[in-house]
Amino acid sequence: RGRGAHFTPNGRHFHPRSRSSGSVVREIPFPRCESLRHNCSCDACNPFKMGIEAVVEGDGGEERPEVLQDHPKSHMLLERNQTCMEGAEGRVGHVYADLGERFSLKGRRHTNQYAQLYFQRLMNVSPGLSELARQKWKTVKKSTILDVQIGQDCWVLGTLYKHMKKKPCVLDEYNIDFDPDQEKPEKYTAEDDYLIMEDEGARMKLIGDALPKSLLVTGVVIAVRGKEVEGGDFQVSDVCFRTPQLHQTVPEVMEDKYVALLSGLDVGDAKDPLKTLLLVQYLIGSLGSEYDQVLSSKITRVVVAGNAMAYVEPPSLKLGEKQQKSRLTEPLKELEVYLSQLAATVPLDIMPGMQDPANLSLPQQPLHACMCGEAGKLDMLNRVHNPHNFSIDGAEFLGTSGQNIDDMYRFSSETDRLKLLEMSLTWGHMVPTAPDTLPCFPFSDKDPFIIQSCPHVYFAGNQPQYSQKLVQCSEGTSTRLITVPSFAQTGTVVLVNTRTLKCHPITFDVSAIGA
C-alpha cells in the first residue's frame, strides 16, 4: 500500500497526507531492514525525512515544550539501586533507580490463603489511618465492631466488602442455565448494593448518605464515624481515608527532561503498523523538524505500560502446525524489531500487561528474555514488573498497566477513570479489589500494593483516553495523575517533564493517508 510522504501540523495531531500531483508515493516495507542500527539511513528504516512540528497548546497540566539550551550536567550522588544513564547519540543523561523490589516473587510459592493478605493490609494501614481518625474526631471514642453500642457515637476501622448481586461467581458455570457465550456487562453495579465493614472480630452493615457507596469497592480499609441503630446496622455520619505519607520534593535541575509513557501497542494485531513506525522514528529522533528532534533528544526514558503484544487467539485444530507456530511467533518477531530500534537509542522499560505472555496475577513479573529476542541483549532494555515503581532524577513514578483501574471501573458506579485513579491514591492502595475480583499473589507477610508515600507521578496504562490532573497532598506537595491511553486505539503517547511534572500528549494520526 502506498503511503504519503508529506506531513502537516494540525493541532495536537500529526496528520499525514499525500503530496501534490507528480510526487512519488513510496511503498513502506515491513518488517524493517535487518541491520537494526540506530538512525539507519536506508530507505526501509527512514522513509519519513520531512518536517513535522508538534503543535501543543497547553492549559492546566499540559504544556508546550520549549527546547532549552544544553546546560552542564549536574553532579548527583548515586544512591543504592541508582544507575547513571548517559545519553546515547546526543541524548541527555539521567539518574535512574528501580524501586520495585517489593513486587518480586522470587522464592515465593502459591501455598497461602488469601485471608492473610487482607490481614496484612489491615495491620499495615491501621496505624496511620488510626492517627488520622484521632486527629479528625478528637472527642470521639474508637471502638471495635463487637463493642459498638446502640446510640453511642464512636468510630470504627476495618476493611470494606461490597455486596453485589450482579458480581460474577465461579460457581455460576455449574448452573444449568449458565451461558458461557453470554456477553459480559460493562458494570456489575446495582441500586441495592450495600457495604459491609469487617475487622479482626466481626462484621456489620454500613448505611447512611455520608458513605460514598457508589464509589467504594471491596478491599478498601477506612474508618467510619457513626452510631449503631436498631437492627444492628451502623449509621455512618463521616468517613476517613488513609492518606499516604508525603513524598520528597523533586531535586532542582537546570534542564527539561521528559519521560515518554505509552501503552497498548498491540503489536501483531494485523492492523496498519504505520502509527507504530512513526512512533519509533519520533522517539529515536529520526522524524520531524529540527525542533522535534531536539525535543526527542530530551526524552530520557520510554515506559511501555503493558499490552505491547496483541491478544493471540488459542490455537485451532483447523490450522496446521506451521500456521499455529506462525500465529504465535510473528508478533514476537515484529515486537523484537521495534524494541531493538528503541533500546539501541533510548533507555526502555517494558511492563507486562493483560495481553502479554506473562503471569496473569498481580504483581506481574518481568517478561522472559526470550520474548524480546535479540533486543533482550541490549543494555538499555529493562524488563520490569507490573506495577512499576521507579525514579528519574529524584522524581518518583508509580504506575500499572491498567488492570486495577479497569477492575475498579467494573465494580463501582464511577465512570471517570481519572477519578478512580485519584481515589486509589486517596485510599493508599493500588489494587484494592485484589484478590476479590482481580487475581493476585497470596502474600502472607506483606501487602506490596499499599502506597506508603505519594509518588510525584501516578499513572495507569491502557485506558480509553488521555487525561491528567494535579492533586494536592498535605503541606503543599502534589502528585500528577495520568491515564495513558492505548496507543493502538488513539495513537497517543504522553511526555512528562521531570523538572516541572507537567505533561502533554502527542498523537500520531494516519487516517488522512490516501485521502
Side-chain angles (χ1 to χ4, degrees):
R1 291 173 291 177
R3 307 295 185 198
H6 181 64
F7 284 69
T8 57
N10 185 348
R12 289 185 176 85
H13 294 68
F14 292 158
H15 272 286
R17 64 183 182 186
S18 301
R19 286 186 181 272
S20 57
S21 60
S23 63
V24 178
V25 179
R26 177 175 299 167
E27 181 81 3
I28 296 180
F30 189 83
R32 311 284 281 278
C33 75
E34 299 297 331
S35 64
L36 300 180
R37 295 176 297 167
H38 167 57
N39 283 342
C40 180
S41 59
C42 73
D43 289 342
C45 279
N46 194 12
F48 309 104
K49 297 180 179 178
M50 74 297 290
I52 296 180
E53 181 178 0
V55 180
V56 181
E57 300 175 357
D59 65 288
E62 300 178 5
E63 63 171 9
R64 178 184 176 87
E66 297 180 357
V67 181
L68 304 178
Q69 298 295 326
D70 291 335
H71 294 279
K73 293 180 180 179
S74 58
H75 298 282
M76 303 181 66
L77 295 178
L78 299 182
E79 300 179 358
R80 187 178 180 183
N81 298 330
Q82 289 186 338
T83 305
C84 184
M85 303 296 298
E86 293 294 336
E89 303 273 347
R91 194 178 295 271
V92 296
H94 65 284
V95 177
Y96 172 83
D98 190 342
L99 308 176
E101 291 183 1
R102 65 186 185 278
F103 301 124
S104 176
L105 298 181
K106 290 183 179 179
R108 293 181 177 271
R109 297 176 178 272
H110 287 74
T111 57
N112 300 315
Q113 296 293 324
Y114 284 107
Q116 290 296 319
L117 178 59
Y118 282 117
F119 178 78
Q120 289 296 328
R121 183 180 305 176
L122 182 61
M123 291 299 101
N124 281 271
V125 172
S126 292
L129 181 55
S130 295
E131 182 62 27
L132 292 174
R134 290 190 184 97
Q135 295 176 7
K136 186 174 183 179
W137 306 314
K138 297 180 180 179
T139 60
V140 182
K141 178 184 176 182
K142 180 183 179 181
S143 177
T144 64
I145 296 179
L146 287 175
D147 296 332
V148 171
Q149 301 295 325
I150 296 179
Q152 180 182 359
D153 189 19
C154 63
W155 63 271
V156 187
L157 187 149
T159 306
L160 290 182
Y161 173 76
K162 192 170 187 177
H163 185 275
M164 309 174 67
K165 66 178 183 181
K166 293 184 179 180
K167 184 173 71 173
C169 177
V170 293
L171 298 179
D172 291 342
E173 60 184 85
Y174 298 102
N175 192 321
I176 192 172
D177 299 326
F178 177 72
D179 182 9
D181 298 327
Q182 183 179 3
E183 185 178 355
K184 296 182 179 180
E186 184 181 16
K187 287 182 174 291
Y188 294 99
T189 56
E191 290 294 331
D192 55 352
D193 295 340
Y194 59 89
L195 293 170
I196 296 174
M197 171 175 280
E198 180 177 324
D199 63 6
E200 304 97 309
R203 53 168 43 191
M204 63 182 179
K205 182 179 178 181
L206 304 180
I207 59 175
D209 296 335
L211 196 66
K213 181 185 67 173
S214 61
L215 186 61
L216 293 170
V217 294
T218 296
V220 179
V221 179
I222 67 171
V224 294
R225 176 184 176 180
K227 300 178 181 180
E228 183 180 358
V229 297
E230 294 293 339
D233 296 341
F234 192 80
Q235 182 78 34
V236 177
S237 59
D238 199 1
V239 180
C240 181
F241 299 112
R242 174 187 175 272
T243 303
Q245 298 177 2
L246 302 178
H247 55 57
Q248 297 179 353
T249 57
V250 180
E252 185 175 353
V253 294
M254 302 179 64
E255 59 182 332
D256 289 334
K257 300 178 183 180
Y258 295 91
V259 175
L261 300 177
L262 61 105
S263 64
L265 291 175
D266 286 359
V267 174
D269 63 353
K271 294 182 181 179
D272 192 350
L274 181 56
K275 281 192 301 187
T276 309
L277 290 170
L278 290 173
L279 170 68
V280 172
Q281 292 292 315
Y282 177 80
L283 293 176
I284 67 177
S286 298
L287 180 68
S289 64
E290 181 179 358
Y291 171 86
D292 300 302
Q293 293 179 2
V294 175
L295 176 61
S296 65
S297 71
K298 302 292 183 181
I299 299 176
T300 59
R301 202 167 201 88
V302 177
V303 179
V304 181
N307 290 356
M309 291 180 56
Y311 174 73
V312 179
E313 293 288 343
S316 173
L317 297 178
K318 298 180 180 179
L319 299 177
E321 181 179 354
K322 291 185 178 180
Q323 290 178 305
Q324 293 183 12
K325 183 178 180 180
S326 176
R327 289 181 57 193
L328 296 175
T329 58
E330 286 303 320
L332 290 174
K333 293 179 180 179
E334 188 176 338
L335 179 63
E336 176 187 354
V337 174
Y338 294 134
L339 296 181
S340 298
Q341 295 181 61
L342 284 174
T345 309
V346 58
L348 173 65
D349 290 354
I350 179 168
M351 302 165 54
M354 180 66 73
Q355 301 174 177
D356 295 318
N359 60 300
L360 178 66
S361 60
L362 296 177
Q364 289 183 290
Q365 300 304 286
L367 296 173
H368 196 279
C370 68
M371 298 298 174
C372 303
E374 292 298 319
K377 301 178 181 180
L378 298 176
D379 293 336
M380 289 197 291
L381 179 63
N382 190 23
R383 295 172 289 108
V384 299
H385 301 88
N386 171 36
H388 186 27
N389 190 193
F390 64 98
S391 69
I392 292 183
D393 292 337
E396 183 179 351
F397 287 69
L398 176 64
T400 70
S401 295
Q403 295 100 315
N404 57 335
I405 303 302
D406 292 342
D407 200 60
M408 289 166 59
Y409 178 84
R410 286 190 289 267
F411 294 96
S412 71
S413 301
E414 181 60 53
T415 58
D416 185 357
R417 292 172 181 259
L418 186 63
K419 179 65 175 179
L420 292 174
L421 188 65
E422 180 182 358
M423 292 308 300
S424 171
L425 184 66
T426 302
W427 299 332
H429 203 279
M430 288 181 284
V431 197
T433 57
D436 182 48
T437 54
L438 190 63
C440 74
F441 184 85
F443 292 94
S444 61
D445 56 343
K446 64 177 181 179
D447 185 352
F449 306 115
I450 296 175
I451 304 176
Q452 299 293 352
S453 61
C454 288
H456 298 97
V457 178
Y458 185 34
F459 66 90
N462 299 290
Q463 299 304 300
Q465 61 185 10
Y466 162 76
S467 59
Q468 63 81 30
K469 181 180 182 181
L470 187 68
V471 294
Q472 298 295 328
C473 300
S474 56
E475 298 185 12
T477 59
S478 58
T479 297
R480 177 72 62 185
L481 305 177
I482 305 174
T483 58
V484 183
S486 168
F487 184 82
Q489 301 296 327
T490 65
T492 299
V493 58
V494 182
L495 298 187
V496 182
N497 190 323
T498 57
R499 181 178 67 87
T500 64
L501 299 184
K502 294 182 179 180
C503 60
H504 69 274
I506 295 179
T507 300
F508 298 83
D509 190 349
V510 297
S511 59
I513 291 182

